[in-house]
Amino acid sequence: LQRHFALSSTLLKSVKWREGGITCNGHPVTVSARCRAGDRLTVDVSDPPCHNPNLHPVDFPLSILWEDEDLLILNKPAGITVHCAALTREPVTVAGAVAHYLHSDQYHGVNRLDRGTTGAMVVAKTGYIHARCMALLHSGDFYREYRGICLGTPTPAAGSIDLPIGREPDSLLRRRVDPAGLAAHTDYEPLWQGPDRALLRLTPGTGRTHQLRLHLSAIGHPLLGDTVYGHKKPELGQSSQCLHAKELRFVHPRTGEPVTVSCGLPDYFTALLEKLRAGA
């Protein structure tokens, strides 16, 4: 079970006491059972009931890009958080909308997007699949590509940013570049450049909180609309920060098959680009 199905020791402890949790050829067995060639071994890796007081299901329409029995890939809109913010109760969260859609009392997000970030994000339907996804997240088997509009034009035009990230003291939200923080790597490449704005392809090599926003701000080119690490004033009428998760490519944690999902830019992002190009 651990070698072929990649069950964690914690999940295995749960499964072996579950009624019908492990069967061989349709008959319940214990973990000491010996299997032979041709036997059919099954294991119930569904989530056990768990009351989460911080998860509030809400009937909110989801834009689903891709789905199978293990995973749900969403196009997250701007303006909503994945979880309830610290010390506040959000009327709508991604977790709450997913819990309502799946009729579940648990939420297993794989890649998390900020309130103002849009685009493709992966949700696992069980803790088992979530654990296997997280093992892929910071490897070459899980590729994420973003689009961002930044202030100014980076020099060099294409390159990498390697700056460690840590928490900002006395803040629940902000992060900062910190020599004692966690290593963080971002690749960037311009797709369009105006006199004082640029559309970038952003590829994170790590998944630190606020990584792309903080890295671009640290080199002097914050994302437009980023009121935490950039300028407070919205530009040309945009309604959110200009950061969009454009594409995901990963190896399916159960089947081993490649999965590629692309997500179009939101309307406000496209409209801003048109205005910038027209004024270039």
Side-chain angles (χ1 to χ4, degrees):
L1 293 174
Q2 290 181 303
R3 185 168 63 251
H4 294 287
F5 293 166
L7 265 66
S8 67
S9 57
T10 301
L11 181 56
L12 185 57
K13 288 177 183 177
S14 171
V15 165
K16 72 179 184 178
W17 296 112
R18 190 176 300 177
E19 184 176 355
I22 307 169
T23 66
C24 184
N25 301 323
H27 301 290
V29 294
T30 67
V31 291
S32 62
R34 289 183 173 273
C35 295
R36 297 176 176 81
D39 284 347
R40 182 176 181 83
L41 181 66
T42 63
V43 57
D44 178 5
V45 294
S46 62
D47 288 334
C50 174
H51 174 64
N52 183 350
N54 297 316
L55 183 62
H56 307 285
V58 58
D59 188 1
F60 183 81
L62 295 173
S63 175
I64 298 174
L65 302 171
W66 189 91
E67 183 178 9
D68 70 357
E69 63 183 295
D70 300 305
L71 299 168
L72 188 64
I73 303 181
L74 309 174
N75 177 9
K76 178 194 170 294
I80 66 172
T81 63
V82 173
H83 299 284
C84 286
L87 306 178
T88 63
R89 170 75 180 272
E90 300 283 341
V92 176
T93 63
V94 174
V98 169
H100 181 274
Y101 176 76
L102 296 177
H103 305 288
S104 174
D105 57 2
Q106 297 185 54
Y107 173 78
H108 303 290
V110 177
N111 63 314
R112 180 175 177 173
L113 301 181
D114 298 333
R115 181 193 293 271
T117 305
T118 58
M121 60 177 295
V122 181
V123 178
K125 293 185 177 181
T126 63
Y128 167 67
I129 293 296
H130 179 260
R132 299 192 66 174
C133 282
M134 295 309 289
L136 299 173
L137 188 58
H138 301 304
S139 74
D141 290 330
F142 198 103
Y143 173 85
R144 291 164 288 171
E145 186 177 299
Y146 291 75
R147 296 291 184 272
I149 303 176
C150 72
L151 180 68
T153 54
T155 302
S160 299
I161 306 169
D162 286 286
L163 294 171
I165 294 175
R167 285 185 175 273
E168 186 76 54
D170 304 321
S171 175
L172 295 173
L173 174 67
R174 290 178 61 93
R175 300 298 192 271
R176 66 175 182 173
V177 173
D178 183 350
L182 298 172
H185 175 91
T186 301
D187 293 320
Y188 67 90
E189 175 188 0
L191 300 176
W192 171 83
Q193 286 184 291
D196 57 358
R197 303 289 185 270
L199 171 67
L200 303 177
R201 174 189 286 119
L202 299 164
T203 309
T206 50
R208 311 304 179 200
T209 299
H210 297 179
Q211 176 178 317
L212 299 180
R213 298 163 59 191
L214 181 56
H215 270 179
L216 288 172
S217 179
I219 65 169
H221 301 286
L223 290 167
L224 299 190
D226 187 347
T227 59
V228 176
Y229 302 106
H231 295 286
K232 305 297 182 185
K233 184 180 177 181
E235 186 155 330
L236 299 178
Q238 94 242 25
S239 58
S240 189
Q241 67 195 23
C242 293
L243 183 61
H244 177 74
K246 182 70 170 60
E247 185 173 313
L248 291 169
R249 298 200 301 266
F250 60 93
V251 176
H252 195 290
R254 183 177 58 82
T255 68
E257 295 296 318
V259 177
T260 300
V261 176
S262 186
C263 183
L265 294 172
D267 291 342
Y268 80 86
F269 201 118
T270 303
L272 178 58
L273 269 178
E274 290 175 354
K275 290 178 182 178
L276 291 174
R277 285 169 170 156

